[in-house]
Short mmCIF file of all heavy atoms in Angstrom, two decimals:
data_model
loop_
_atom_site.label_atom_id
_atom_site.label_comp_id
_atom_site.label_asym_id
_atom_site.label_seq_id
_atom_site.Cartn_x
_atom_site.Cartn_y
_atom_site.Cartn_z
N ALA A 27 97.61 129.79 118.60
CA ALA A 27 97.95 129.70 117.18
C ALA A 27 99.42 129.37 117.02
O ALA A 27 100.21 129.45 117.98
CB ALA A 27 97.61 131.02 116.47
N TYR A 28 99.80 129.03 115.78
CA TYR A 28 101.21 128.79 115.47
C TYR A 28 101.40 129.13 114.00
O TYR A 28 100.58 128.76 113.14
CB TYR A 28 101.60 127.34 115.74
CG TYR A 28 103.06 127.07 115.51
CD1 TYR A 28 104.02 127.44 116.45
CD2 TYR A 28 103.50 126.46 114.33
CE1 TYR A 28 105.36 127.22 116.23
CE2 TYR A 28 104.85 126.22 114.11
CZ TYR A 28 105.77 126.61 115.06
OH TYR A 28 107.12 126.39 114.85
N ASP A 29 102.48 129.82 113.68
CA ASP A 29 102.73 130.27 112.32
C ASP A 29 103.44 129.17 111.53
O ASP A 29 104.64 128.95 111.68
CB ASP A 29 103.58 131.55 112.34
CG ASP A 29 103.78 132.13 110.95
OD1 ASP A 29 103.04 131.73 110.03
OD2 ASP A 29 104.67 132.98 110.78
N VAL A 30 102.69 128.47 110.69
CA VAL A 30 103.23 127.40 109.85
C VAL A 30 103.68 127.99 108.52
O VAL A 30 102.91 128.66 107.84
CB VAL A 30 102.17 126.30 109.61
CG1 VAL A 30 102.70 125.24 108.65
CG2 VAL A 30 101.75 125.68 110.93
N THR A 31 104.93 127.75 108.16
CA THR A 31 105.45 128.27 106.88
C THR A 31 105.53 127.18 105.81
O THR A 31 105.49 127.49 104.62
CB THR A 31 106.85 128.88 107.06
OG1 THR A 31 107.78 127.85 107.47
CG2 THR A 31 106.83 129.99 108.10
N HIS A 32 105.69 125.93 106.22
CA HIS A 32 105.85 124.83 105.27
C HIS A 32 105.14 123.58 105.79
O HIS A 32 104.94 123.44 107.00
CB HIS A 32 107.33 124.49 105.05
CG HIS A 32 108.13 125.58 104.41
ND1 HIS A 32 108.56 126.69 105.12
CD2 HIS A 32 108.60 125.73 103.14
CE1 HIS A 32 109.25 127.49 104.30
NE2 HIS A 32 109.30 126.92 103.11
N HIS A 33 104.79 122.70 104.86
CA HIS A 33 104.28 121.38 105.24
C HIS A 33 105.33 120.33 104.89
O HIS A 33 106.24 120.56 104.08
CB HIS A 33 102.96 121.09 104.54
CG HIS A 33 101.84 121.94 105.04
ND1 HIS A 33 101.39 123.06 104.36
CD2 HIS A 33 101.09 121.86 106.17
CE1 HIS A 33 100.41 123.63 105.05
NE2 HIS A 33 100.22 122.93 106.16
N ALA A 34 105.19 119.17 105.50
CA ALA A 34 106.22 118.13 105.40
C ALA A 34 106.54 117.79 103.95
O ALA A 34 107.72 117.76 103.55
CB ALA A 34 105.76 116.89 106.16
N GLN A 35 105.52 117.53 103.14
CA GLN A 35 105.78 117.10 101.77
C GLN A 35 106.38 118.22 100.94
O GLN A 35 107.21 117.97 100.06
CB GLN A 35 104.50 116.57 101.12
CG GLN A 35 104.74 115.79 99.84
CD GLN A 35 105.63 114.58 100.06
OE1 GLN A 35 105.39 113.79 100.97
NE2 GLN A 35 106.65 114.41 99.22
N ASP A 36 105.98 119.46 101.22
CA ASP A 36 106.58 120.59 100.52
C ASP A 36 108.08 120.65 100.77
O ASP A 36 108.88 120.93 99.87
CB ASP A 36 105.95 121.92 100.98
CG ASP A 36 104.46 121.98 100.67
OD1 ASP A 36 104.03 121.35 99.70
OD2 ASP A 36 103.73 122.66 101.43
N ILE A 37 108.49 120.38 102.01
CA ILE A 37 109.91 120.40 102.35
C ILE A 37 110.64 119.27 101.64
O ILE A 37 111.72 119.48 101.05
CB ILE A 37 110.09 120.28 103.87
CG1 ILE A 37 109.54 121.54 104.56
CG2 ILE A 37 111.56 120.07 104.23
CD1 ILE A 37 109.50 121.44 106.07
N LEU A 38 110.06 118.08 101.65
CA LEU A 38 110.72 116.95 101.01
C LEU A 38 110.84 117.16 99.50
O LEU A 38 111.87 116.83 98.90
CB LEU A 38 109.93 115.67 101.30
CG LEU A 38 109.84 115.27 102.78
CD1 LEU A 38 108.97 114.04 102.95
CD2 LEU A 38 111.23 115.01 103.36
N ASP A 39 109.79 117.73 98.89
CA ASP A 39 109.81 117.94 97.44
C ASP A 39 110.80 119.04 97.03
O ASP A 39 111.45 118.94 95.99
CB ASP A 39 108.41 118.30 96.94
CG ASP A 39 107.43 117.14 97.04
OD1 ASP A 39 107.89 115.99 97.16
OD2 ASP A 39 106.21 117.39 97.00
N GLY A 40 110.89 120.08 97.84
CA GLY A 40 111.76 121.21 97.47
C GLY A 40 113.02 121.30 98.30
O GLY A 40 113.59 122.39 98.45
N PHE A 41 113.46 120.16 98.82
CA PHE A 41 114.52 120.12 99.82
C PHE A 41 115.81 120.82 99.35
O PHE A 41 116.36 121.66 100.05
CB PHE A 41 114.82 118.68 100.21
CG PHE A 41 115.77 118.54 101.35
CD1 PHE A 41 115.35 118.67 102.65
CD2 PHE A 41 117.12 118.26 101.12
CE1 PHE A 41 116.23 118.54 103.72
CE2 PHE A 41 118.02 118.14 102.17
CZ PHE A 41 117.56 118.27 103.48
N ASP A 42 116.29 120.47 98.17
CA ASP A 42 117.58 121.00 97.71
C ASP A 42 117.56 122.52 97.61
O ASP A 42 118.51 123.21 98.02
CB ASP A 42 117.95 120.39 96.35
CG ASP A 42 118.29 118.91 96.47
OD1 ASP A 42 118.57 118.46 97.59
OD2 ASP A 42 118.22 118.21 95.44
N GLY A 43 116.48 123.07 97.07
CA GLY A 43 116.38 124.52 96.95
C GLY A 43 116.29 125.20 98.30
O GLY A 43 116.88 126.27 98.51
N LEU A 44 115.56 124.61 99.22
CA LEU A 44 115.43 125.18 100.56
C LEU A 44 116.78 125.18 101.28
O LEU A 44 117.12 126.14 101.97
CB LEU A 44 114.39 124.40 101.36
CG LEU A 44 112.94 124.50 100.86
CD1 LEU A 44 112.05 123.50 101.59
CD2 LEU A 44 112.40 125.92 101.05
N VAL A 45 117.53 124.08 101.11
CA VAL A 45 118.86 124.00 101.73
C VAL A 45 119.79 125.04 101.12
O VAL A 45 120.52 125.76 101.83
CB VAL A 45 119.45 122.59 101.58
CG1 VAL A 45 120.92 122.57 102.01
CG2 VAL A 45 118.65 121.59 102.40
N ALA A 46 119.76 125.15 99.80
CA ALA A 46 120.65 126.10 99.12
C ALA A 46 120.39 127.54 99.57
O ALA A 46 121.32 128.35 99.66
CB ALA A 46 120.48 125.98 97.60
N ASN A 47 119.13 127.84 99.84
CA ASN A 47 118.77 129.19 100.27
C ASN A 47 118.81 129.37 101.78
O ASN A 47 118.44 130.43 102.29
CB ASN A 47 117.37 129.54 99.75
CG ASN A 47 117.33 129.69 98.25
OD1 ASN A 47 118.26 130.19 97.64
ND2 ASN A 47 116.23 129.24 97.64
N GLU A 48 119.26 128.32 102.49
CA GLU A 48 119.33 128.35 103.96
C GLU A 48 117.99 128.77 104.57
O GLU A 48 117.92 129.58 105.50
CB GLU A 48 120.46 129.27 104.42
CG GLU A 48 121.84 128.82 103.95
CD GLU A 48 122.96 129.71 104.47
OE1 GLU A 48 122.64 130.82 104.97
OE2 GLU A 48 124.12 129.31 104.37
N THR A 49 116.92 128.23 103.99
CA THR A 49 115.57 128.60 104.41
C THR A 49 115.27 128.08 105.81
O THR A 49 115.55 126.93 106.14
CB THR A 49 114.53 128.03 103.42
OG1 THR A 49 114.84 128.49 102.10
CG2 THR A 49 113.11 128.46 103.80
N VAL A 50 114.68 128.94 106.62
CA VAL A 50 114.18 128.53 107.93
C VAL A 50 112.72 128.12 107.76
O VAL A 50 111.92 128.89 107.22
CB VAL A 50 114.31 129.67 108.95
CG1 VAL A 50 113.69 129.26 110.28
CG2 VAL A 50 115.78 130.06 109.13
N VAL A 51 112.40 126.93 108.20
CA VAL A 51 111.05 126.40 108.03
C VAL A 51 110.37 126.25 109.39
O VAL A 51 111.04 126.01 110.41
CB VAL A 51 111.06 125.04 107.30
CG1 VAL A 51 111.68 125.18 105.92
CG2 VAL A 51 111.78 123.97 108.10
N SER A 52 109.07 126.40 109.40
CA SER A 52 108.27 126.14 110.60
C SER A 52 107.16 125.16 110.22
O SER A 52 106.35 125.45 109.33
CB SER A 52 107.66 127.43 111.15
OG SER A 52 108.65 128.30 111.64
N VAL A 53 107.14 124.01 110.87
CA VAL A 53 106.12 123.00 110.62
C VAL A 53 105.39 122.72 111.93
O VAL A 53 105.91 122.95 113.03
CB VAL A 53 106.72 121.69 110.06
CG1 VAL A 53 107.45 121.94 108.76
CG2 VAL A 53 107.65 121.04 111.09
N ALA A 54 104.18 122.20 111.79
CA ALA A 54 103.39 121.81 112.96
C ALA A 54 102.69 120.50 112.67
O ALA A 54 102.24 120.26 111.54
CB ALA A 54 102.37 122.89 113.32
N GLY A 55 102.61 119.64 113.68
CA GLY A 55 101.93 118.37 113.49
C GLY A 55 102.03 117.50 114.72
O GLY A 55 102.43 117.94 115.80
N ARG A 56 101.70 116.25 114.52
CA ARG A 56 101.63 115.29 115.61
C ARG A 56 102.90 114.43 115.64
O ARG A 56 103.33 113.93 114.60
CB ARG A 56 100.40 114.39 115.40
CG ARG A 56 100.00 113.58 116.61
CD ARG A 56 98.71 112.81 116.33
NE ARG A 56 97.57 113.68 116.09
CZ ARG A 56 96.80 114.17 117.04
NH1 ARG A 56 97.06 113.90 118.32
NH2 ARG A 56 95.76 114.94 116.73
N MET A 57 103.48 114.28 116.83
CA MET A 57 104.67 113.46 116.97
C MET A 57 104.27 111.98 116.92
O MET A 57 103.53 111.49 117.78
CB MET A 57 105.40 113.75 118.28
CG MET A 57 106.79 113.09 118.35
SD MET A 57 107.65 113.46 119.90
CE MET A 57 106.87 112.28 121.00
N MET A 58 104.75 111.28 115.89
CA MET A 58 104.32 109.90 115.66
C MET A 58 105.38 108.86 116.00
O MET A 58 105.06 107.68 116.06
CB MET A 58 103.90 109.74 114.19
CG MET A 58 102.74 110.64 113.79
SD MET A 58 101.22 110.30 114.71
CE MET A 58 100.81 108.67 114.09
N ALA A 59 106.60 109.28 116.20
CA ALA A 59 107.67 108.33 116.54
C ALA A 59 108.82 109.10 117.16
O ALA A 59 108.98 110.31 116.92
CB ALA A 59 108.13 107.56 115.30
N ARG A 60 109.64 108.38 117.97
CA ARG A 60 110.73 109.06 118.66
C ARG A 60 111.86 108.07 118.93
O ARG A 60 111.63 106.90 119.23
CB ARG A 60 110.23 109.64 119.98
CG ARG A 60 111.33 110.28 120.83
CD ARG A 60 110.77 110.87 122.11
NE ARG A 60 110.04 109.87 122.90
CZ ARG A 60 109.17 110.18 123.85
NH1 ARG A 60 108.91 111.45 124.12
NH2 ARG A 60 108.56 109.24 124.53
N ARG A 61 113.09 108.59 118.81
CA ARG A 61 114.27 107.79 119.17
C ARG A 61 115.25 108.72 119.89
O ARG A 61 115.71 109.70 119.32
CB ARG A 61 114.92 107.20 117.92
CG ARG A 61 116.07 106.25 118.23
CD ARG A 61 116.63 105.59 116.97
NE ARG A 61 117.37 106.55 116.14
CZ ARG A 61 116.96 106.98 114.96
NH1 ARG A 61 115.80 106.60 114.48
NH2 ARG A 61 117.72 107.82 114.25
N SER A 62 115.54 108.42 121.14
CA SER A 62 116.38 109.30 121.97
C SER A 62 117.77 108.73 122.15
O SER A 62 117.96 107.51 122.24
CB SER A 62 115.72 109.51 123.34
OG SER A 62 114.48 110.18 123.21
N HIS A 63 118.76 109.67 122.21
CA HIS A 63 120.15 109.29 122.44
C HIS A 63 120.75 110.27 123.46
O HIS A 63 121.66 111.05 123.15
CB HIS A 63 120.97 109.32 121.15
CG HIS A 63 120.45 108.41 120.08
ND1 HIS A 63 120.61 107.05 120.11
CD2 HIS A 63 119.73 108.68 118.97
CE1 HIS A 63 120.05 106.52 119.05
NE2 HIS A 63 119.50 107.49 118.35
#
Side-chain angles (χ1 to χ4, degrees):
Y28 183 78
D29 185 15
V30 176
T31 64
H32 296 76
H33 291 100
Q35 195 59 49
D36 298 331
I37 294 172
L38 297 176
D39 291 341
F41 187 81
D42 291 341
L44 294 170
V45 170
N47 292 324
E48 299 182 346
T49 304
V50 175
V51 300
S52 293
V53 301
R56 194 176 297 273
M57 190 179 80
M58 299 298 292
R60 176 179 56 198
R61 186 176 71 249
S62 296
H63 301 285

